[in-house]
Amino acid sequence: METGQRTMRAALNLLLVMLLALNLRPILTSIGPLLEPMRASTGLGYQQAALLTALPVLCMGLVPLLQPWLRRWISEHGGMLAGLSAIALACLWRLQLDSAWALIASAVVAGLGVAVVQGMMPGLVNRWFPGRLAGAMGLYSAALMSGGGLAAVLGPHISGYFGHWQVGLGLWAIPAVLAVLAWAVLRPRQEAPKLAGATGGHWFGTRRAWLLALYFGLINGGYTSMVAWLPAYHIEHGGSAQGGADLVGLMTIFQVAGALGLPLLLRRWADRRPGLWLALAIQLAGFLGLLLAPTLASGLWVAMIGFGLGACFSQSLTLTLEHLKTPAEAGSLAAFVQGIGFIITGIVPYITGWLRDVSGDFQASWTLLTVTVVAMLLVTACFNPRGYAAAIARPVAAGKAASVN
């Protein structure tokens, strides 16, 4: 392939990555800012509302774990089309919903669609951009978070204009349909390579795979909790629904800055730990601010949390992919990590919502997330790049008798 053709192919691949990523968060972030009119219209309780976030995220966990088996029946092309179509159909369904359980069912359909697409994305990015992995993962993460932020900020405006909260949820069928068309027309025609080796994409017996999954899941539990409860928290402190949506938008701006800025700043570093420590420390300061001075500078605390979350997401996925040399095996490890990780991530907002119910405010919820960030600061020390090969080869049983590299 000539240089000009390679450049054009790389540009089209990057455009596809960003279009696909834009569709992976609106189904989550459009809920929180519209929660109060949804509750008034459908009788949705806080625990049911938690399911609107928790169930899609659980789907994002379960489906990647099935990927080694699903790949026997469906191609990468077919999976992308099916996943994006499910997102579009779920959003269209939401245009006419009027019951709590129909909303929850639409969340499951959309979550399954997101799970299929999202499970394939790290391996796809690794295959398309092997020499620029950190930067490409940063752009993927930034586009993913931008889609979520747009849905949170624009949803209340759109719903207010049309007079129906359903429109603020259903409008996101449009970018999903555009992504279907773009994938069908612009995708590279080479199929993903088959996995080789004994693992065959199964990582259940590998200690380091479980540690990476736990790490990824707990880091992202802060994101799903903030998306689910930040607007309600803002309203509890005398704010408006639109103000809560604007806070989610502010968080997203700084997520994008973290996802893009930190990989760029540390692009020459092979060790991901300094970047992760910095991102987690900034995130910790933000949660401590919410705990100790919630009304003093809420925008600052939310911005710090957003920056830390965005940087952690892109850096933790890059960390996972760098554990293995071949794109196929690295992609299968990332699918496992996302699988287990998103199950954990889906449970966290349900727990934080339950803590809000039993305690009467969100302070207990923020305390839990603060403790989690401190724990992840300690776990980060385990990820020495010189020990990747030995760690990823170590089975679970051997971990009891050996130290972590």
Side-chain angles (χ1 to χ4, degrees):
M1 187 182 290
E2 296 178 0
T3 302
Q5 291 176 314
R6 284 197 297 269
T7 301
M8 178 61 71
R9 182 68 263 165
L12 289 175
N13 287 350
L14 192 59
L15 175 63
L16 275 175
V17 165
M18 297 177 74
L19 280 173
L20 294 171
L22 283 169
N23 287 280
L24 301 182
R25 288 298 176 268
I27 65 158
L28 299 178
T29 59
S30 59
I31 297 294
L34 297 171
L35 185 56
E36 292 312 310
M38 287 163 53
R39 292 183 68 232
S41 175
T42 64
L44 194 73
Y46 274 110
Q47 293 230 318
Q48 284 179 308
L51 293 176
L52 296 178
T53 301
L55 288 177
V57 177
L58 287 173
C59 290
M60 295 177 205
L62 292 172
V63 171
L65 293 179
L66 300 175
Q67 188 169 293
W69 294 275
L70 292 175
R71 281 291 181 89
R72 300 175 187 174
W73 307 101
I74 188 169
S75 66
E76 181 179 78
H77 173 54
M80 284 292 186
L81 289 181
L84 292 166
S85 298
I87 296 169
L89 288 172
C91 291
L92 289 172
W93 186 15
R94 286 179 166 183
L95 285 171
Q96 50 191 328
L97 293 182
D98 58 3
S99 76
W101 290 110
L103 262 173
I104 291 169
S106 75
V108 173
V109 173
L112 288 170
V114 170
V116 171
V117 176
Q118 186 169 260
M120 296 180 180
M121 287 300 294
L124 182 147
V125 172
N126 196 19
R127 194 170 79 245
W128 287 355
F129 305 100
R132 294 168 289 170
L133 180 59
M137 286 305 302
L139 284 169
Y140 162 67
S141 303
L144 181 148
M145 294 160 192
S146 297
L150 285 172
V153 173
L154 296 180
H157 289 294
I158 294 165
S159 297
Y161 180 80
F162 287 97
H164 298 284
W165 56 264
Q166 289 92 337
V167 182
L169 302 182
L171 177 76
W172 309 106
I174 295 173
V177 171
L178 291 176
V180 169
L181 296 175
W183 176 263
V185 174
L186 301 178
R187 78 187 193 282
R189 291 309 190 257
Q190 299 90 349
E191 277 294 335
K194 299 295 184 183
L195 283 174
T199 63
H202 307 290
W203 298 95
F204 289 94
T206 305
R207 183 189 182 199
R208 176 51 62 93
W210 280 99
L211 181 62
L212 288 166
L214 179 66
Y215 188 77
F216 181 82
L218 290 177
I219 278 178
N220 286 288
Y223 171 75
T224 49
S225 294
M226 293 295 284
V227 165
W229 305 125
L230 183 57
Y233 170 77
H234 182 66
I235 290 170
E236 277 190 2
H237 284 80
S240 65
Q242 184 59 55
D246 290 342
L247 274 181
V248 175
L250 177 67
M251 183 178 79
T252 301
I253 290 171
F254 281 88
Q255 278 183 289
V256 172
L260 286 174
L262 205 59
L264 182 64
L265 181 66
L266 304 177
R267 63 188 180 278
R268 300 186 186 279
W269 293 37
D271 193 338
R272 301 294 162 201
R273 292 177 297 175
L276 285 163
W277 274 322
L278 176 60
L280 286 164
I282 293 171
Q283 197 181 141
L284 177 63
F287 279 120
L288 287 173
L290 285 184
L291 276 172
L292 303 176
T295 59
L296 181 62
S298 58
L300 175 62
W301 311 141
V302 168
M304 295 177 77
I305 292 168
F307 185 92
L309 287 169
C312 281
F313 182 85
S314 61
Q315 291 283 288
S316 62
L317 273 179
T318 304
L319 170 76
T320 297
L321 292 169
E322 288 176 342
H323 269 72
L324 290 160
K325 298 297 185 184
T326 67
E329 286 193 317
S332 76
L333 175 62
F336 175 86
V337 167
Q338 288 189 104
I340 300 297
F342 275 119
I343 291 173
I344 297 167
T345 297
I347 294 170
V348 173
Y350 194 80
I351 294 173
T352 51
W354 173 77
L355 287 171
R356 160 62 183 81
D357 274 349
V358 299
S359 67
D361 61 35
F362 282 103
Q363 293 301 90
S365 305
W366 305 150
T367 299
L368 174 65
L369 296 178
T370 301
V371 171
T372 298
V373 173
V374 172
M376 293 304 98
L377 277 165
L378 299 175
V379 172
T380 302
C382 298
F383 300 123
N384 186 335
R386 289 177 295 180
Y388 286 171
I392 202 64
R394 183 178 300 144
V396 171
K400 297 178 181 178
S403 61
V404 178
N405 287 310

